[in-house]
Amino acid sequence: MPTYSQEIEAAAKLCEANGSSWDAINPESVARMRLQNKFKTGLDIAKYTADIMRRDMAAYDRDFTKYTQSLGCWHGFIGQQKMISIKKHFAGNTDRRYLYLSGWMVAALRSDFGPLPDQSMHEKTAVSGLIEELYTFLRQADARELGGLFRELDAAREAGDKAAEKAIIEKIDNHVTHVVPIIADIDAGFGNAEATYLLAKRMIEAGACCIQIENQVSDEKQCGHQDGKVTVPHEDFLAKIRAVRYAFLELGVDNGVIVARTDSLGAGLTKQIAVTKEPGDLGDQYNAFLDCDEVAPGDLANGDVIINRDGKLLRPKRLPSNLFQFRKGTGEARCVLDSVTSLQNGADLIWIETEKPHVGQIGAMMDEIRKQVPNAKLVYNNSPSFNWTLNFRQQVFDAWKEEGRDVSAYNRDKLMSAEYDDSELSRVADEKIRTFQADAAREAGIFHHLITLPTYHTAALSTDNLAKEYFGEKGMLGYVEGVQRKEIRQGIACVKHQNMAGSDMGDDHKDYFSGEAALKAAGKDNTMNQFG
């Protein structure tokens, strides 16, 4: 990016070239506005953030401690505050920290129909709309932060402090943007491959450098942690992966990232029998997992669907729903085949939706996948659908029992109870939860850890706490003690909510546009001055 002085010089030449009619245009003000709006389009963002993801993927291949993380955000403000917080707490560094856009949260919180289950019933464009909104708020965070530096620069100049002026210009030149990669959920593509391509284009144009797509039937799609999931044959899914790749390439985002998610571990059903042309091809491998009965020609009933395999007639078990079921116990093998096939046909990363957070289970599947794709990398959902406390306490209980340790003081089925919170078992389990991401990155090939819908839960929890106190005996103290006092003491930027909403930037623009005639909001009577 151009430096501050370079932007001023370029703007000055432009003003000079346009003669006296531009005399009222201040080149430095132009430079400031340009720096505050360094990303002009969503495609600019997609290309910039795709480069970041590719660098991070290469770094992870060299060093498994360099895994990446994200939190799901359902509103632009939530994403903005997350990145402001990261910059505040980690010395201005946003490295390896992304945003996640959850289809679940779009359905539950962003649909014109109101709250919906995660079944792809929400409007398609709600997804691309949220991507655009997130980046609008992140770009505003850049503009706000730079605006603060510009005001500091003006103050240093007014005070004649050359050292401070130089230091502030250096901060401006080395400003770290709040814009980071978004991994965006396109669900099962919202239709056929053409529908997937069209929506992928909208998402990329809004700024998405990474699109996650799953192998469920589009019109039967379920949340990965619910029952009733139905998968599609591999060729159907690969067509959608190719559709997303074509969308990236058409728009010039040549290094866009595709995450192929398989729900096969928990999906016991398929809507279609795959097309197969010869033994062992992809369709035949998919069909080999079907739960079938061997039949003789005389046993056939009206409407039976029959598969010929190795000279035998097999009748797949068909449910009243007209769906076919897979053999029990084949989920992990299907996940491995799904993942290998996706990576061999254009996907960059894989996602295996599991029923519990268990490093050993995930690692075993990744070992099988890496036999065929050595650099395979996972995106993993550290899901709020898991009871993390109970899961890890039970894992420790089972390990101790297998080691022959005395576990008689614990009731395995009731380990969630608060009575165990101070126990040795719970301390060991909590440490395993704390190190889960690092352990799984090292032992199970997880490049990216995300929590799909954490801010859904934090919004509910904080609102419950405020409502309980404010409408109860504490009254206004419930807000002051539980919110504002903490904001001030923790340095939460939005305690000055007018500033966060852009009032100071508006004042800057009034100065540029109207000079001394500007009627500004940040005068001595602005109550935000109480916060210093």
PDB file of all heavy atoms in Angstrom, residues 219-236:
ATOM      1  N   ASP A 219     -32.115 -29.972  -0.913  1.00  0.00           N
ATOM      2  CA  ASP A 219     -33.468 -29.756  -0.398  1.00  0.00           C
ATOM      3  C   ASP A 219     -33.798 -30.642   0.799  1.00  0.00           C
ATOM      4  O   ASP A 219     -34.924 -30.652   1.287  1.00  0.00           O
ATOM      5  CB  ASP A 219     -34.519 -29.942  -1.507  1.00  0.00           C
ATOM      6  CG  ASP A 219     -34.457 -31.319  -2.154  1.00  0.00           C
ATOM      7  OD1 ASP A 219     -33.537 -32.081  -1.833  1.00  0.00           O
ATOM      8  OD2 ASP A 219     -35.329 -31.623  -2.983  1.00  0.00           O
ATOM      9  N   GLU A 220     -32.808 -31.403   1.287  1.00  0.00           N
ATOM     10  CA  GLU A 220     -33.001 -32.206   2.492  1.00  0.00           C
ATOM     11  C   GLU A 220     -31.988 -31.824   3.571  1.00  0.00           C
ATOM     12  O   GLU A 220     -31.854 -32.518   4.568  1.00  0.00           O
ATOM     13  CB  GLU A 220     -32.841 -33.701   2.167  1.00  0.00           C
ATOM     14  CG  GLU A 220     -33.811 -34.251   1.142  1.00  0.00           C
ATOM     15  CD  GLU A 220     -35.200 -34.491   1.704  1.00  0.00           C
ATOM     16  OE1 GLU A 220     -35.378 -34.346   2.932  1.00  0.00           O
ATOM     17  OE2 GLU A 220     -36.108 -34.801   0.919  1.00  0.00           O
ATOM     18  N   LYS A 221     -31.269 -30.712   3.352  1.00  0.00           N
ATOM     19  CA  LYS A 221     -30.152 -30.337   4.208  1.00  0.00           C
ATOM     20  C   LYS A 221     -30.563 -30.172   5.675  1.00  0.00           C
ATOM     21  O   LYS A 221     -31.602 -29.605   5.994  1.00  0.00           O
ATOM     22  CB  LYS A 221     -29.553 -29.026   3.686  1.00  0.00           C
ATOM     23  CG  LYS A 221     -28.343 -28.530   4.464  1.00  0.00           C
ATOM     24  CD  LYS A 221     -28.731 -27.415   5.411  1.00  0.00           C
ATOM     25  CE  LYS A 221     -27.544 -26.779   6.097  1.00  0.00           C
ATOM     26  NZ  LYS A 221     -26.638 -27.639   6.831  1.00  0.00           N
ATOM     27  N   GLN A 222     -29.722 -30.690   6.572  1.00  0.00           N
ATOM     28  CA  GLN A 222     -29.917 -30.561   8.007  1.00  0.00           C
ATOM     29  C   GLN A 222     -28.633 -30.017   8.631  1.00  0.00           C
ATOM     30  O   GLN A 222     -27.541 -30.181   8.073  1.00  0.00           O
ATOM     31  CB  GLN A 222     -30.216 -31.922   8.648  1.00  0.00           C
ATOM     32  CG  GLN A 222     -31.525 -32.558   8.235  1.00  0.00           C
ATOM     33  CD  GLN A 222     -32.694 -32.066   9.081  1.00  0.00           C
ATOM     34  OE1 GLN A 222     -32.585 -31.076   9.791  1.00  0.00           O
ATOM     35  NE2 GLN A 222     -33.827 -32.750   8.987  1.00  0.00           N
ATOM     36  N   CYS A 223     -28.764 -29.441   9.811  1.00  0.00           N
ATOM     37  CA  CYS A 223     -27.579 -29.089  10.596  1.00  0.00           C
ATOM     38  C   CYS A 223     -26.741 -30.342  10.788  1.00  0.00           C
ATOM     39  O   CYS A 223     -27.276 -31.445  10.976  1.00  0.00           O
ATOM     40  CB  CYS A 223     -28.005 -28.526  11.947  1.00  0.00           C
ATOM     41  SG  CYS A 223     -26.628 -28.271  13.098  1.00  0.00           S
ATOM     42  N   GLY A 224     -25.420 -30.190  10.754  1.00  0.00           N
ATOM     43  CA  GLY A 224     -24.525 -31.336  10.892  1.00  0.00           C
ATOM     44  C   GLY A 224     -24.659 -32.063  12.209  1.00  0.00           C
ATOM     45  O   GLY A 224     -24.192 -33.193  12.348  1.00  0.00           O
ATOM     46  N   HIS A 225     -25.294 -31.443  13.205  1.00  0.00           N
ATOM     47  CA  HIS A 225     -25.438 -32.073  14.518  1.00  0.00           C
ATOM     48  C   HIS A 225     -26.876 -32.524  14.771  1.00  0.00           C
ATOM     49  O   HIS A 225     -27.252 -32.798  15.909  1.00  0.00           O
ATOM     50  CB  HIS A 225     -24.956 -31.120  15.616  1.00  0.00           C
ATOM     51  CG  HIS A 225     -23.483 -30.872  15.534  1.00  0.00           C
ATOM     52  ND1 HIS A 225     -22.550 -31.747  16.050  1.00  0.00           N
ATOM     53  CD2 HIS A 225     -22.771 -29.892  14.943  1.00  0.00           C
ATOM     54  CE1 HIS A 225     -21.332 -31.295  15.803  1.00  0.00           C
ATOM     55  NE2 HIS A 225     -21.451 -30.160  15.135  1.00  0.00           N
ATOM     56  N   GLN A 226     -27.663 -32.605  13.700  1.00  0.00           N
ATOM     57  CA  GLN A 226     -29.014 -33.140  13.821  1.00  0.00           C
ATOM     58  C   GLN A 226     -29.116 -34.459  13.076  1.00  0.00           C
ATOM     59  O   GLN A 226     -28.241 -34.824  12.295  1.00  0.00           O
ATOM     60  CB  GLN A 226     -30.034 -32.129  13.255  1.00  0.00           C
ATOM     61  CG  GLN A 226     -30.182 -30.879  14.114  1.00  0.00           C
ATOM     62  CD  GLN A 226     -31.246 -29.949  13.573  1.00  0.00           C
ATOM     63  OE1 GLN A 226     -31.257 -29.615  12.401  1.00  0.00           O
ATOM     64  NE2 GLN A 226     -32.129 -29.508  14.439  1.00  0.00           N
ATOM     65  N   ASP A 227     -30.203 -35.171  13.351  1.00  0.00           N
ATOM     66  CA  ASP A 227     -30.452 -36.437  12.675  1.00  0.00           C
ATOM     67  C   ASP A 227     -31.088 -36.162  11.312  1.00  0.00           C
ATOM     68  O   ASP A 227     -31.433 -35.026  10.986  1.00  0.00           O
ATOM     69  CB  ASP A 227     -31.379 -37.297  13.538  1.00  0.00           C
ATOM     70  CG  ASP A 227     -31.223 -38.783  13.256  1.00  0.00           C
ATOM     71  OD1 ASP A 227     -30.498 -39.134  12.312  1.00  0.00           O
ATOM     72  OD2 ASP A 227     -31.834 -39.581  13.996  1.00  0.00           O
ATOM     73  N   GLY A 228     -31.229 -37.213  10.506  1.00  0.00           N
ATOM     74  CA  GLY A 228     -31.952 -37.091   9.247  1.00  0.00           C
ATOM     75  C   GLY A 228     -31.148 -36.534   8.095  1.00  0.00           C
ATOM     76  O   GLY A 228     -31.710 -36.041   7.118  1.00  0.00           O
ATOM     77  N   LYS A 229     -29.814 -36.613   8.169  1.00  0.00           N
ATOM     78  CA  LYS A 229     -28.979 -36.074   7.089  1.00  0.00           C
ATOM     79  C   LYS A 229     -28.937 -37.058   5.915  1.00  0.00           C
ATOM     80  O   LYS A 229     -28.850 -38.274   6.102  1.00  0.00           O
ATOM     81  CB  LYS A 229     -27.575 -35.787   7.608  1.00  0.00           C
ATOM     82  CG  LYS A 229     -27.543 -34.666   8.643  1.00  0.00           C
ATOM     83  CD  LYS A 229     -26.152 -34.370   9.120  1.00  0.00           C
ATOM     84  CE  LYS A 229     -25.589 -35.454   9.999  1.00  0.00           C
ATOM     85  NZ  LYS A 229     -26.324 -35.631  11.253  1.00  0.00           N
ATOM     86  N   VAL A 230     -28.963 -36.507   4.705  1.00  0.00           N
ATOM     87  CA  VAL A 230     -28.998 -37.303   3.483  1.00  0.00           C
ATOM     88  C   VAL A 230     -27.875 -36.826   2.567  1.00  0.00           C
ATOM     89  O   VAL A 230     -27.821 -35.646   2.209  1.00  0.00           O
ATOM     90  CB  VAL A 230     -30.359 -37.148   2.759  1.00  0.00           C
ATOM     91  CG1 VAL A 230     -30.414 -38.058   1.539  1.00  0.00           C
ATOM     92  CG2 VAL A 230     -31.520 -37.440   3.708  1.00  0.00           C
ATOM     93  N   THR A 231     -26.972 -37.733   2.166  1.00  0.00           N
ATOM     94  CA  THR A 231     -25.858 -37.332   1.317  1.00  0.00           C
ATOM     95  C   THR A 231     -26.150 -37.597  -0.156  1.00  0.00           C
ATOM     96  O   THR A 231     -27.108 -38.284  -0.501  1.00  0.00           O
ATOM     97  CB  THR A 231     -24.562 -38.070   1.715  1.00  0.00           C
ATOM     98  OG1 THR A 231     -24.744 -39.477   1.529  1.00  0.00           O
ATOM     99  CG2 THR A 231     -24.191 -37.788   3.158  1.00  0.00           C
ATOM    100  N   VAL A 232     -25.292 -37.034  -1.002  1.00  0.00           N
ATOM    101  CA  VAL A 232     -25.427 -37.202  -2.449  1.00  0.00           C
ATOM    102  C   VAL A 232     -24.246 -38.009  -2.979  1.00  0.00           C
ATOM    103  O   VAL A 232     -23.171 -38.016  -2.367  1.00  0.00           O
ATOM    104  CB  VAL A 232     -25.482 -35.839  -3.173  1.00  0.00           C
ATOM    105  CG1 VAL A 232     -26.694 -35.052  -2.746  1.00  0.00           C
ATOM    106  CG2 VAL A 232     -24.198 -35.030  -2.931  1.00  0.00           C
ATOM    107  N   PRO A 233     -24.397 -38.681  -4.121  1.00  0.00           N
ATOM    108  CA  PRO A 233     -23.254 -39.359  -4.746  1.00  0.00           C
ATOM    109  C   PRO A 233     -22.112 -38.388  -5.028  1.00  0.00           C
ATOM    110  O   PRO A 233     -22.323 -37.186  -5.221  1.00  0.00           O
ATOM    111  CB  PRO A 233     -23.845 -39.915  -6.045  1.00  0.00           C
ATOM    112  CG  PRO A 233     -25.293 -40.089  -5.749  1.00  0.00           C
ATOM    113  CD  PRO A 233     -25.654 -38.935  -4.855  1.00  0.00           C
ATOM    114  N   HIS A 234     -20.907 -38.933  -5.073  1.00  0.00           N
ATOM    115  CA  HIS A 234     -19.718 -38.090  -5.195  1.00  0.00           C
ATOM    116  C   HIS A 234     -19.738 -37.212  -6.430  1.00  0.00           C
ATOM    117  O   HIS A 234     -19.343 -36.044  -6.374  1.00  0.00           O
ATOM    118  CB  HIS A 234     -18.464 -38.975  -5.206  1.00  0.00           C
ATOM    119  CG  HIS A 234     -18.191 -39.621  -3.893  1.00  0.00           C
ATOM    120  ND1 HIS A 234     -18.837 -40.760  -3.485  1.00  0.00           N
ATOM    121  CD2 HIS A 234     -17.371 -39.279  -2.879  1.00  0.00           C
ATOM    122  CE1 HIS A 234     -18.417 -41.104  -2.285  1.00  0.00           C
ATOM    123  NE2 HIS A 234     -17.526 -40.215  -1.891  1.00  0.00           N
ATOM    124  N   GLU A 235     -20.151 -37.741  -7.554  1.00  0.00           N
ATOM    125  CA  GLU A 235     -20.120 -36.942  -8.775  1.00  0.00           C
ATOM    126  C   GLU A 235     -21.007 -35.709  -8.665  1.00  0.00           C
ATOM    127  O   GLU A 235     -20.682 -34.648  -9.195  1.00  0.00           O
ATOM    128  CB  GLU A 235     -20.530 -37.793  -9.986  1.00  0.00           C
ATOM    129  CG  GLU A 235     -19.526 -38.881 -10.358  1.00  0.00           C
ATOM    130  CD  GLU A 235     -18.191 -38.327 -10.841  1.00  0.00           C
ATOM    131  OE1 GLU A 235     -18.079 -37.100 -11.046  1.00  0.00           O
ATOM    132  OE2 GLU A 235     -17.249 -39.121 -11.000  1.00  0.00           O
ATOM    133  N   ASP A 236     -22.138 -35.833  -7.973  1.00  0.00           N
ATOM    134  CA  ASP A 236     -23.014 -34.677  -7.767  1.00  0.00           C
ATOM    135  C   ASP A 236     -22.293 -33.597  -6.959  1.00  0.00           C
ATOM    136  O   ASP A 236     -22.370 -32.399  -7.271  1.00  0.00           O
ATOM    137  CB  ASP A 236     -24.291 -35.095  -7.026  1.00  0.00           C
ATOM    138  CG  ASP A 236     -25.170 -36.017  -7.839  1.00  0.00           C
ATOM    139  OD1 ASP A 236     -24.641 -36.775  -8.655  1.00  0.00           O
ATOM    140  OD2 ASP A 236     -26.403 -35.975  -7.642  1.00  0.00           O
TER     141      ASP A 236
END
